[in-house]
């Protein structure tokens, strides 16, 4: 029987990258993937935290390609064939059908993530980047197999894995032994029943407060929101970045729509579009909103998604994170929500942490794995709380702005921690800060009491101040946050 140091189940970006990092360090890696490599995958909008992690992993493990992938201009210069889009920040537009005094989409919030195009983040065409990472892992000696069905796993050190490969009429079953088993199966992860039972795997989705459904697709010919705004006669003052060069969020009281534009979207290229809404609300979409309808009018499904994909419940969470030599990446443990785009950063954080653990000398891993498990659990629950509150605030832009600033404060604090070389074992998103966690509880009570927007701002402003120095929650900003990416600036100047 062949033996490996590490077997990774799942060949999305997180599994592929971990395989590459480890193989580059001389680790014997087997990656088993259920589908074909480089197929359509969702989770496309990167963030400052994700790009910082790419740079750090690239620097630490001598993978300069990752550093190039960490900003839009260097990605385009180094990898013109890997499709991506420019992301200068997060743009939000409120489409309030009930208020005739506010034209649909007029109220806006723009939160800058990078000080200039030079440091732009990217939208990832996942099929391209996922395949690229697998190719690099193979170049470094990782054995990456697609269309594999894992039929049995026997826990232990080493663990034994049996998998089926090849066409149905000529399938082969093979066995390997492995020191580490990494679950990188993402949101579709299924483990063989016996093994799931042996590790006591349980579904704990009910611990998550956010409850949303999502419908999504890749489309050609989605119209530019920037040009439609001009056409609608909106008086647009100076803005920190073009609203299309962003993770664009179109908010309504019922739900919201993302638009992520890939390069060439204005010449018939692809825009990723998704509608996400709380499950408790009646099923809705963009059609009742004139501005959204105008943008979508004439848009056609792309080949990558021949029909709309529906996810009846986005959230899921499964434990354990760790058991002996079994470890799950954060993105295999839980899916929270597209709002705030946390998945890529959390996946990369998992890769960075697990690479450290696996590459450390044997015998040093138990405590670190326990810390890893605690951190992942705390982070998932923290992100979920902040997202759930944002959904509770969809009815007005003012309210949504106030509540979203809790998230931005937590994300920026984490970026600063990482940029300063902070310990990766610590829980990020301020999930281990009792004061901030308590502030979330207090804010939830304010929302439950339905305090007016102005009162919420007055209440939250001084309480958020100790956790941020990026000028968040500022009335004078008029919804235009010119530069909030502190960590990126300090990382870039060092
Ligand atoms: C609607 C939606 C929108 C999102 N938008 C964003 C966003 O804008 N930004 C962001 O950062 N995150 C976003 N996310 C989260 C993001 O999709 C995930 O965090 C990310 O895809 C996780 O990547 P991964 O490589 O860990 O897993 P995946 O991309 O899910 O890849 C895992 C692969 O493993 C395979 N697999 C499953 N079971 C097995 C098995 N037993 N054996 C072998 N292979 C297996 C699967 O088929 C899959 O291809 C979004 C999520 C959703 C649901």
């Amino acid at each position: 029987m062949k033996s490996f140091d590490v077997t990774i189940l799942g060949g999305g970006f997180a599994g592929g990258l971990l395989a590459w990092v480890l193989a580059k360090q001389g680790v014997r890696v087997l990656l088993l993937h259920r589908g074909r490599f480089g197929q359509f995958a969702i989770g496309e909008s990167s963030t400052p935290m994700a790009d910082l992690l790419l740079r750090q992993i690239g620097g630490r493990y001598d993978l300069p390609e990752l550093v190039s992938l960490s900003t839009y201009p260097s990605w385009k210069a180094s990898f013109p064939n890997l499709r991506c889009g420019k992301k200068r920040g997060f743009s939000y537009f409120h489409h309030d059908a009930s208020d005739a005094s506010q034209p649909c989409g007029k109220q806006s919030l723009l939160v800058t993530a990078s000080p200039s195009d030079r440091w732009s983040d990217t939208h990832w065409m996942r099929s391209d980047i996922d395949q690229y990472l697998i190719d690099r892992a193979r170049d470094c000696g990782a054995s990456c197999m697609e269309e594999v069905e894992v039929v049995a796993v026997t826990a232990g050190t080493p663990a034994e894995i049996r998998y089926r490969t090849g066409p149905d009429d000529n399938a082969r079953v093979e066995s390997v032994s492995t020191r580490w088993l990494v679950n990188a199966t993402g949101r579709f992860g299924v483990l063989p029943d016996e093994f799931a039972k042996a590790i006591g795997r349980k579904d704990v989705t009910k611990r998550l407060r956010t409850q949303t459904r999502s419908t999504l697709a890749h489309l050609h010919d989605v119209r530019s929101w920037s040009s439609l705004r001009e056409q609608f006669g909106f008086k647009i003052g100076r803005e920190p970045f073009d609203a299309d060069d962003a993770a664009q969020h179109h908010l309504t009281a019922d739900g919201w729509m993302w638009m992520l534009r890939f390069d060439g979207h204005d010449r018939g290229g692809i825009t990723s579009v998704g509608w996400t809404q709380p499950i408790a609300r009646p099923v809705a979409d963009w059609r009742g909103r004139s501005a959204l309808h105008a943008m979508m009018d004439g848009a056609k499904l792309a080949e990558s998604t021949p029909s709309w994909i529906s996810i009846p419940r986005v959230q899921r969470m499964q434990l354990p994170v760790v058991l002996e030599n079994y470890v799950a990446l954060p993105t295999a443990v839980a899916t929270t929500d597209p709002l705030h785009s946390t998945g890529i950063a959390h996946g990369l954080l998992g890769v960075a942490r697990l690479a450290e653990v696996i590459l450390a000398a044997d015998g040093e891993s138990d405590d670190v794995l326990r810390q890893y498990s605690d951190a992942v659990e705390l982070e998932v629950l923290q992100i979920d709380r902040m997202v759930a509150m944002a959904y509770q605030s969809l009815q007005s832009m003012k309210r949504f702005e106030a509540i979203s600033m809790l998230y931005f404060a937590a994300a920026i604090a984490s970026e600063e921690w990482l940029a300063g070389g902070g310990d990766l074992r610590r829980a990020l998103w301020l999930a281990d800060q009792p004061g901030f966690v308590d502030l979330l509880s207090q804010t939830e009570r304010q929302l439950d009491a339905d305090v007016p927007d102005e009162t919420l701002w007055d209440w939250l402003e001084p309480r958020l101040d100790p956790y941020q120095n990026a000028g968040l929650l500022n009335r004078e900003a008029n919804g235009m946050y010119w530069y909030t990416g502190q960590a990126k600036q300090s990382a870039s100047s060092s």
Side-chain angles (χ1 to χ4, degrees):
M1 190 187 325
K2 268 197 185 164
S3 85
F4 290 87
D5 300 314
V6 178
T7 299
I8 300 170
L9 304 184
F13 85 87
L17 178 57
L18 183 62
W20 184 15
V21 169
L22 294 175
K24 171 86 180 184
Q25 299 301 309
V27 174
R28 290 169 308 154
V29 179
L30 172 66
L31 182 146
L32 302 174
H33 184 56
R34 195 172 54 183
R36 301 286 304 269
F37 290 129
Q39 287 193 318
F40 172 84
I42 199 64
E44 301 159 314
S45 189
S46 175
T47 55
M49 199 200 294
D51 284 339
L52 195 56
L53 283 161
L54 275 182
R55 276 193 288 284
Q56 292 193 339
I57 298 169
R60 173 139 200 202
Y61 298 109
D62 189 22
L63 301 171
E65 297 92 333
L66 289 183
V67 180
S68 300
L69 287 167
S70 73
T71 72
Y72 172 78
S74 51
W75 174 315
K76 294 287 288 178
S78 304
F79 305 104
N81 297 330
L82 301 183
R83 290 167 295 172
C84 69
K86 191 203 289 181
K87 176 176 172 185
R88 284 289 313 279
F90 301 81
S91 61
Y92 304 85
F93 302 90
H94 206 275
H95 301 254
D96 183 354
S98 65
D99 182 357
S101 69
Q102 296 286 356
C104 239
K106 178 132 189 246
Q107 294 179 68
S108 59
L109 165 66
L110 275 79
V111 183
T112 310
S114 44
S116 64
D117 279 1
R118 160 80 182 82
W119 293 102
S120 279
D121 300 312
T122 38
H123 302 310
W124 297 7
M125 183 61 79
R126 283 287 305 276
S127 47
D128 290 12
I129 185 77
D130 290 9
Q131 178 72 58
Y132 173 79
L133 295 170
I134 293 291
D135 291 343
R136 295 294 73 77
R138 281 175 164 156
D139 290 346
C140 290
S143 182
C144 300
M145 302 179 63
E146 58 188 346
E147 297 192 301
V148 170
E149 189 196 348
V150 177
V151 286
V153 181
T154 312
T157 309
E160 197 181 310
I161 300 171
R162 245 175 343 117
Y163 58 89
R164 188 182 297 123
T165 168
D168 280 351
D169 52 354
N170 195 16
R172 292 189 321 274
V173 175
E174 294 181 1
S175 296
V176 293
S177 73
T178 187
R179 160 79 180 84
W180 291 97
L181 177 60
V182 177
N183 181 349
T185 59
R187 63 171 283 101
F188 302 107
V190 182
L191 297 176
D193 281 350
E194 285 300 313
F195 177 62
K197 233 181 263 164
I199 61 168
R201 197 179 202 214
K202 56 179 189 259
D203 188 293
V204 292
T205 306
K206 59 177 181 305
R207 289 174 66 185
L208 301 176
R209 299 166 193 219
T210 314
Q211 297 194 20
T212 58
R213 63 164 69 93
S214 199
T215 308
L216 56 104
H218 277 175
L219 296 160
H220 294 292
D221 298 326
V222 174
R223 291 178 67 190
S224 150
W225 176 235
S226 297
S227 51
L228 267 177
R229 287 167 88 203
E230 276 183 43
Q231 208 174 304
F232 290 154
F234 291 176
K235 282 205 185 62
I236 299 164
R238 231 159 59 84
E239 294 190 339
F241 52 88
D242 185 319
D244 283 347
D245 292 339
Q248 199 172 79
H249 302 65
H250 295 279
L251 312 178
T252 79
D254 299 319
W256 67 283
M257 191 173 189
W258 79 70
M259 293 201 165
L260 308 176
R261 292 175 166 79
F262 290 94
D263 285 356
H265 67 89
D266 47 349
R267 301 182 302 278
I270 288 177
T271 300
S272 170
V273 176
W275 169 264
T276 306
Q277 67 163 109
I279 286 172
R281 305 254 171 96
V283 179
D285 67 14
W286 62 89
R287 271 169 266 256
R289 276 85 185 175
S290 53
L292 295 181
H293 193 84
M295 227 179 334
M296 293 291 285
D297 198 23
K300 293 180 280 303
L301 286 163
E303 256 175 48
S304 41
T305 55
S307 55
W308 287 88
I309 297 168
S310 282
I311 307 177
R313 170 89 194 264
V314 173
Q315 295 69 34
R316 49 166 277 284
M317 182 170 183
Q318 276 151 345
L319 295 176
V321 180
V322 167
L323 193 78
E324 295 170 13
N325 57 340
Y326 164 84
V327 277
L329 282 168
T331 40
V333 172
T335 306
T336 47
D337 199 80
L339 192 62
H340 297 331
S341 307
T342 51
I344 295 179
H346 215 184
L348 291 172
L349 192 56
V351 169
R353 286 166 167 166
L354 289 188
E356 269 189 12
V357 177
I358 290 169
L359 292 167
D362 269 359
E364 285 181 7
S365 58
D366 284 0
D367 277 355
V368 184
L369 281 175
R370 214 167 301 122
Q371 283 174 5
Y372 169 77
S373 172
D374 292 346
V376 169
E377 212 174 317
L378 282 177
E379 287 163 351
V380 167
L381 297 174
Q382 179 90 334
I383 292 167
D384 167 60
R385 279 182 93 170
M386 294 188 284
V387 169
M389 277 195 273
Y391 276 101
Q392 223 180 320
S393 312
L394 276 177
Q395 72 267 33
S396 91
M397 185 56 116
K398 242 7 257 130
R399 204 172 188 77
F400 183 85
E401 178 174 342
I403 292 303
S404 295
M405 293 304 152
L406 285 162
Y407 174 77
F408 284 111
I412 291 168
S414 306
E415 289 156 26
E416 287 174 345
W417 176 254
L418 291 171
D423 190 339
L424 281 181
R425 286 174 289 186
R426 181 174 181 180
L428 297 189
W429 287 282
L430 299 178
D432 65 351
Q433 301 265 314
F436 190 79
V437 175
D438 185 49
L439 177 58
L440 295 187
S441 304
Q442 291 181 46
T443 311
E444 279 161 355
R445 286 197 287 277
Q446 296 287 314
L447 290 179
D448 289 343
D450 207 16
V451 298
D453 295 355
E454 284 299 324
T455 316
L456 180 67
W457 269 68
D458 290 342
W459 179 87
L460 189 53
E461 216 178 316
R463 288 170 174 82
L464 189 63
D465 256 4
Y467 301 101
Q468 62 108 8
N469 55 14
L472 302 173
L473 206 59
N474 176 1
R475 282 192 172 84
E476 282 160 27
N478 283 324
M480 300 289 146
Y481 292 87
W482 282 78
Y483 187 48
T484 44
Q486 303 292 335
K488 190 171 263 188
Q489 192 171 42
S490 49
S492 63
S493 57
S494 63

